Amino acid sequence: MAAPMTMRASRCLADVFRRRCSHQNLSGAFIRCLATAKNGDDGGKRETHFGFEYIPEEEKEGKVYEVFENVASRYDLMNDTMSVGVHRLWKDHFLESMAPTPGTTLIDVAGGTGDIALRFLRYIQSQRSTERQQDFNVKMPRDITANVYMDSVEEYSSDSSSSDEETESPQRNSVVTVCDINQAMLDVGKAKLEKLGYTTGINWLQGNAESLPLEDNSYDVYTIAFGIRNCTHIDKVLSEAYRVLKPGGRFMCLEFSQVNNLFLRSLYDNYSFQVIPVIGQVIAGDWKSYQYLVESIRQFPNQEEFSDMIQRAGFRVVNHENLTFGVAAIHSGFKIV
């Protein structure tokens, strides 16, 4: 009887320390160290964090699903409000860092609302437009006479048609597959992109990042933006990313991270805990979901720790780039076999 009571007492103490640590800017590593006290158990069940709460591992997926089902319809609006639009700049830079070329195949995991997919398709479109303009400039010299110009239009049209066919051939097609465990998020993303006219070159797939329903060596690039911290087993997510990438493929992750400057971190923490849940309540009528999102950021490994995890999954040339003083970071690695 004494042992269960002692365990419950230690868990309560760990919760108190963890909450105090988050507000006093102690390191994330120390906060996660307290979690080891939570993995001792009364009945043999493994536990994991859900924000600052600890729950049996098998319950986390359902709880995270419920959070994103609740926020799906207001997700984009909340992102704009909470970040004052800065998340758009982060995502733009994310695609510029990727720099995909026509023919790139992308798997975007936890990409439900389609923000990364939309930027990918637009980036590829701009690349193709540039290529076609270059072809036009080569085939239509400016000093050509009017008669020759009129005679050459048919010839150029034929060439242009064949060029377009070549551009749209299977070898040249760029395709993005958006995978998310939450169907409500996928529905919002699909409706948004269809409204913008994007109905081809994109697939929507409901699936778990820890067990992707995809074949090995299938994609050139794997992305996951602001999603990996919500997964129960980050190591399994990284392993799956490695599996579905082609040899030479690139893993890219955009995720909230750790602000190293103590003064800025204090400001950021105060804003996160005192303001964001209030915004969630006012705009989306949901305090708890946004309280979880804030807490989940503090439970995620810092830049160096996450880079080490990526390397352990088999990736090479691993690096990261801090955005906005480390509020977010881009992590990258390659599958070199």
Side-chain angles (χ1 to χ4, degrees), residues 100-158:
T101 56
T104 299
T105 54
L106 169 66
I107 173 70
D108 182 37
V109 177
T113 58
D115 274 6
I116 302 302
L118 175 61
R119 284 165 171 79
F120 173 79
L121 292 171
R122 284 176 171 170
Y123 193 97
I124 294 298
Q125 276 186 339
S126 69
Q127 294 288 307
R128 286 177 169 163
S129 296
T130 300
E131 286 184 357
R132 287 171 179 168
Q133 183 61 43
Q134 289 172 345
D135 289 344
F136 181 83
N137 290 339
V138 169
K139 293 178 180 179
M140 299 297 295
R142 295 188 178 186
D143 59 349
I144 201 163
T145 64
N147 288 337
V148 175
Y149 175 85
M150 294 301 293
D151 290 340
S152 300
V153 168
E154 292 182 13
E155 183 177 313
Y156 173 73
S157 297
S158 174

Side-chain angles (χ1 to χ4, degrees), residues 87-101 104 106 108 114-124 126-127 176 221 223-225 250 252 254 321 323 330:
H87 78 101
R88 295 177 179 268
L89 302 178
W90 291 340
K91 291 169 184 173
D92 288 344
H93 183 63
F94 188 57
L95 255 294
E96 290 168 3
S97 299
M98 183 195 304
T101 56
T104 299
L106 169 66
D108 182 37
D115 274 6
I116 302 302
L118 175 61
R119 284 165 171 79
F120 173 79
L121 292 171
R122 284 176 171 170
Y123 193 97
I124 294 298
S126 69
Q127 294 288 307
V176 54
V221 183
T223 56
I224 182 166
R250 187 178 187 185
M252 295 188 70
L254 173 61
E321 176 188 1
L323 306 176
I330 295 174

Side-chain angles (χ1 to χ4, degrees), residues 149-319:
Y149 175 85
M150 294 301 293
D151 290 340
S152 300
V153 168
E154 292 182 13
E155 183 177 313
Y156 173 73
S157 297
S158 174
D159 290 342
S160 175
S161 176
S162 63
S163 176
D164 286 347
E165 288 175 6
E166 180 184 345
T167 300
E168 300 302 329
S169 70
Q171 291 77 18
R172 297 276 293 168
N173 278 351
S174 297
V175 178
V176 54
T177 298
V178 181
C179 180
D180 200 292
I181 197 170
N182 194 292
Q183 188 61 49
M185 294 287 282
L186 289 170
D187 291 342
V188 169
K190 186 176 182 180
K192 179 172 72 176
L193 265 70
E194 286 180 350
K195 186 176 180 180
L196 293 171
Y198 293 93
T199 57
T200 60
I202 183 166
N203 302 312
W204 302 89
L205 174 68
Q206 185 175 19
N208 190 329
E210 297 182 13
S211 181
L212 294 171
L214 299 167
E215 295 182 0
D216 297 357
N217 307 314
S218 301
Y219 293 89
D220 299 308
V221 183
Y222 173 112
T223 56
I224 182 166
F226 303 117
I228 198 167
R229 75 180 190 281
N230 299 306
C231 299
T232 306
H233 304 101
I234 295 174
D235 57 337
K236 290 184 179 180
V237 177
L238 294 173
S239 177
E240 280 293 274
Y242 190 88
R243 180 182 67 81
V244 302
L245 279 171
K246 298 175 183 177
R250 187 178 187 185
F251 167 84
M252 295 188 70
C253 175
L254 173 61
E255 187 54 87
F256 290 110
S257 200
Q258 180 174 292
V259 177
N260 290 321
N261 182 284
L262 293 180
F263 175 71
L264 293 177
R265 191 192 305 175
S266 178
L267 293 178
Y268 175 52
D269 283 347
N270 284 329
Y271 173 75
S272 297
F273 286 99
Q274 304 300 325
V275 178
I276 289 179
V278 176
I279 295 175
Q281 181 64 41
V282 172
I283 293 181
D286 189 342
W287 178 294
K288 288 185 177 180
S289 293
Y290 289 94
Q291 182 71 26
Y292 157 74
L293 293 176
V294 168
E295 292 176 355
S296 69
I297 295 169
R298 274 69 190 176
Q299 296 283 32
F300 191 70
N302 65 31
Q303 291 90 324
E304 289 72 25
E305 292 169 340
F306 187 47
S307 291
D308 289 342
M309 295 181 73
I310 295 170
Q311 282 192 310
R312 288 198 297 272
F315 291 101
R316 298 293 177 261
V317 198
V318 174
N319 60 70

